[in-house]
């Protein structure tokens, strides 16, 4: 039975990933940081673990608790949008610190602590990025903190793909589409089932030659 670890699986896209992989017969370890996430994960058929991704030491503890296991797949879904800003509003320092900690530092910590467990299985490391983090497609300042954090995540992923690729891991940055979740809001273009079904297909089709690519949930390439 293949094993997937999903960081940030208490709700939204992460929870639907947990539900679909569990329904497909995978051993699913899903992380959450509060009690509500615990029951949602159990109902989805996943094994809940506690993880606040904003605390770097918790990734090391999680990896230590999994020492001896190998992971076929790791998916980093945890993320925040931060404040809605427009124009060149000076970023609030506390908001900057929080979004960089959750969207970038946490991802980098997972690359170093969880990467070796995935390398053991020659598995896949998947990071939920966003087309808003594509520098090539940036055309405005709205959400500039979020955009900047996802561009930084993409840079970290690209560096890691080189390193972990030599150890047999396939790393992907995935854009899930504009999805109706708490983050995406009710007017988003697709539902969470469509997004996750598509991403699972893209992940399953990924081969070593795809290491370091930036794709959307349909498999279309997104320019960095
Ligand atoms: N929805 C979209 O349209 C869209 C588009 C592009 C990219 N994305 C990306 O897709 C990913 C998932 O988005 P979503 O729509 O599912 O968002 P969501 O519904 O807002 O869910 C966010 C998830 O991240 C977790 N999280 C946030 N901060 C955390 C922390 N410090 N420690 C642990 N978990 C934390 C939340 O846990 P709690 O329940 O504990 O808060 C929750 O499980 C994000 O990385 C997002 O940037 C989403």
């Amino acid at each position: 039975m293949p094993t997937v670890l999903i960081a940030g699986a208490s709700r939204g896209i992460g929870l639907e990933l947990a539900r679909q992989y569990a329904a497909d017969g995978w051993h699913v370890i899903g992380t959450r940081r509060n009690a509500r996430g615990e029951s949602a994960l159990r109902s989805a058929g996943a094994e809940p673990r506690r993880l606040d991704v904003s605390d770097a030491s918790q990734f090391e503890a999680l990896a230590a608790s999994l020492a001896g296991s190998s992971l076929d797949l790791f998916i980093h879904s945890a993320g925040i949008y931060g404040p809605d800003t427009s124009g060149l509003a000076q970023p609030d320092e506390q908001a900057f610190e929080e979004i960089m900690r959750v969207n970038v530092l946490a991802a980098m910590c997972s690359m170093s602590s969880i990467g070796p467990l995935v390398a053991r299985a020659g598995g896949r490391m998947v990071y939920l990025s966003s087309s808003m983090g594509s520098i090539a497609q940036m055309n405005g300042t709205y959400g500039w903190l979020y955009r900047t954090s996802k561009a930084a995540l993409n840079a970290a992923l690209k560096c890691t793909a080189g390193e972990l690729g030599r150890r047999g891991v396939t790393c992907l940055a995935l854009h899930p589409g504009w999805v109706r979740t708490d983050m995406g809001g009710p007017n988003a273009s697709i539902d969470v089932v469509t997004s996750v079904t598509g991403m699972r297909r893209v992940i399953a089709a990924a081969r070593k030659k795809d290491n370091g690519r930036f794709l959307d949930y349909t498999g279309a390439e997104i320019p960095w």
Side-chain angles (χ1 to χ4, degrees):
M1 180 190 285
T3 299
V4 56
L5 170 64
I6 304 165
S10 57
R11 59 192 165 93
I13 294 168
L15 180 59
E16 180 62 19
L17 281 162
R19 189 176 290 124
Q20 289 198 20
Y21 277 109
D24 204 19
W26 286 56
H27 173 212
V28 179
I29 305 169
T31 78
R32 49 80 190 172
R33 56 178 170 167
N34 58 38
R36 185 186 55 158
E38 172 98 15
S39 52
L41 276 165
R42 285 201 194 285
S43 304
E47 174 191 334
R49 296 284 186 101
R50 181 186 289 274
L51 175 71
D52 183 337
V53 302
S54 65
D55 178 353
S57 67
Q58 291 192 19
F59 260 116
E60 286 163 23
L62 177 66
S65 76
L66 294 169
S69 328
S70 61
L71 297 174
D72 301 279
L73 175 61
F74 170 69
I75 305 177
H76 193 106
S77 187
I80 54 174
Y81 188 80
D84 256 325
T85 54
S86 60
L88 293 175
Q90 183 168 313
D92 174 82
E93 278 185 38
Q94 202 177 327
F96 178 88
E97 170 97 2
E98 190 188 4
I99 198 165
M100 291 300 170
R101 189 169 276 279
V102 172
N103 291 2
V104 188
L105 178 62
M108 293 173 83
C109 290
S110 72
M111 289 164 192
S112 59
S113 59
I114 306 297
L117 303 178
V118 178
R120 251 185 232 153
R124 299 174 179 125
M125 303 272 286
V126 174
Y127 287 81
L128 292 204
S129 180
S130 170
S131 57
M132 287 181 75
S134 163
I135 292 175
Q137 293 185 354
M138 279 183 198
N139 55 5
T141 51
Y142 75 92
W144 71 334
L145 259 184
Y146 180 75
R147 288 172 182 276
T148 303
S149 74
K150 291 296 188 182
L153 164 65
N154 286 351
L157 184 280
K158 199 70 186 166
C159 297
T160 300
E163 178 74 24
L164 287 177
R166 285 189 284 280
R167 296 159 69 180
V169 178
T170 303
C171 300
L172 295 177
L174 283 190
H175 169 58
W178 184 23
V179 191
R180 290 191 289 276
T181 61
D182 292 339
M183 184 186 290
N187 298 323
S189 49
I190 56 172
D191 63 29
V192 74
V193 173
T194 304
S195 169
V196 168
T197 303
M199 287 194 290
R200 290 185 61 231
R201 204 172 288 137
V202 172
I203 293 166
R207 299 290 174 264
K208 292 194 172 29
K209 65 177 174 44
D210 298 308
N211 184 37
R213 291 179 76 191
F214 185 14
L215 305 171
D216 77 5
Y217 73 103
T218 69
E221 193 100 39
I222 300 182
W224 294 105

